[in-house]
Amino acid sequence: MDMIDPFGRTISYLRVSVTDRCDFRCTYCMAEDMAFLPKKDLLSLEELDRLCTVFIEKGVRRLRLTGGEPLVRKNIMHLVRQLSRHLESGALEELTLTTNGSQLARFAAELADSGVKRINVSLDTLDADKFHKITRWGHLDKVMAGIDAAQAAGLKVKLNAVALKDFNDAELPEMMRWAHGRGMDLTVIETMPMGEIDADRTDQYLPLSLLRASLERQFTLTDIPFKTGGPARYVHVAETDGKLGFITPMTHNFCESCNRVRLTCTGTLYMCLGQEDAADLRAPLRASEGNELLADAIDEAIGRKPKGHDFIIDRRTSRPSVSRHMSVTGG
């Protein structure tokens, strides 16, 4: 029952945004005065479980919970525990989570007990003042406590850092040394033109080709075939004996091998992160107690998955490529 898109790609990876809400307001992600969805518009945890289960029955092998910040969703661990039954049955290979780390100290042990093996933590700087500036509301010590708790619980932690020109570019080598010294991989990501924000993205945008060239003046980087199921391309860093990933939606998109679709907390399915086309799965989900209508809607949507996206960031293009914020779709 594998899902095959029009370009022959097998869709085996589902990213689910369980909430658009977040306890940070990162400057490259959202405006400080965000208007979030009314809670009545959100799918219930039971509906999210049912939707995920249908995707798993149709061939999804990796499932990632995202947000917003997924750990601020009320009773989120109930959903994690429910989904873990698919790990136990072998239908699902991996259940993972992307988080800003603010709530990890509370939930790390329970995540590990529920079958989660690894998580991604978004962290753009190790400087407490800069961290508060970029997140507006965040506190670095809480995130560090969360990382400590996650590693103590046996979770494998990977750090995600958005590369931002004149903000953290000079700091990224030290962040990499620190991460690798603690047994964590680091992935750097180009900022993406999604949603209106208060800042000018042309002032933030740092092509990772330039970052890699800069790093290669200090480190020996060797391309390796390592994959985690996502879009990152990895290198081995000889001096730290760690892995560094590059996610380059702007300079070198990864669409040719895309195996992912994204589901929002309202039941909207986006077949491509960088396109507006979407499918409403909430209506067929609620139209019947059975899943036949839902399965048909998913098949129709996969049949419309585009070849790729066309992100642009330059001085001539002031508007974002897509109107929705990353927090709506999930990272």
Side-chain angles (χ1 to χ4, degrees), residues 39-97:
K39 291 184 179 179
K40 64 179 178 60
D41 290 349
L42 271 60
L43 296 180
S44 69
L45 296 178
E46 290 73 22
E47 288 175 321
L48 284 169
D49 177 37
R50 182 178 161 200
L51 258 175
C52 291
T53 297
V54 172
F55 272 99
I56 292 166
E57 290 172 350
K58 294 179 72 61
V60 161
R61 304 292 287 162
R62 286 188 168 95
L63 180 62
R64 179 176 293 277
L65 302 183
T66 69
E69 170 47 47
L71 294 180
V72 302
R73 174 78 191 251
K74 188 177 180 181
N75 295 327
I76 185 60
M77 288 310 305
H78 173 72
L79 177 62
V80 175
R81 289 191 297 270
Q82 287 295 106
L83 291 172
S84 70
R85 71 187 186 279
H86 300 298
L87 295 171
E88 295 169 3
S89 72
L92 192 64
E93 290 179 9
E94 185 176 54
L95 175 61
T96 57
L97 183 90

Side-chain angles (χ1 to χ4, degrees), residues 25-169:
R25 295 291 184 274
C26 294
T27 58
Y28 55 82
C29 181
M30 60 177 72
E32 186 167 13
D33 185 23
M34 283 289 291
F36 293 112
L37 294 165
K39 291 184 179 179
K40 64 179 178 60
D41 290 349
L42 271 60
L43 296 180
S44 69
L45 296 178
E46 290 73 22
E47 288 175 321
L48 284 169
D49 177 37
R50 182 178 161 200
L51 258 175
C52 291
T53 297
V54 172
F55 272 99
I56 292 166
E57 290 172 350
K58 294 179 72 61
V60 161
R61 304 292 287 162
R62 286 188 168 95
L63 180 62
R64 179 176 293 277
L65 302 183
T66 69
E69 170 47 47
L71 294 180
V72 302
R73 174 78 191 251
K74 188 177 180 181
N75 295 327
I76 185 60
M77 288 310 305
H78 173 72
L79 177 62
V80 175
R81 289 191 297 270
Q82 287 295 106
L83 291 172
S84 70
R85 71 187 186 279
H86 300 298
L87 295 171
E88 295 169 3
S89 72
L92 192 64
E93 290 179 9
E94 185 176 54
L95 175 61
T96 57
L97 183 90
T98 295
T99 174
N100 64 27
S102 66
Q103 308 296 317
L104 257 183
R106 291 172 54 202
F107 292 112
E110 194 171 356
L111 286 168
D113 288 343
S114 300
V116 175
K117 303 294 185 187
R118 66 183 184 96
I119 59 171
N120 290 358
V121 177
S122 300
L123 182 65
D124 301 319
T125 176
L126 298 177
D127 181 293
D129 292 335
K130 289 171 65 176
F131 182 85
H132 190 67
K133 179 180 178 181
I134 196 75
T135 63
R136 294 192 179 104
W137 295 4
H139 297 283
L140 183 62
D141 57 343
K142 289 186 67 175
V143 176
M144 290 300 187
I147 291 172
D148 290 342
Q151 290 195 309
L155 294 171
K156 183 172 177 57
V157 178
K158 179 171 78 72
L159 299 184
N160 289 341
V162 176
L164 299 167
K165 184 172 62 177
D166 299 328
F167 176 78
N168 64 358
D169 43 354

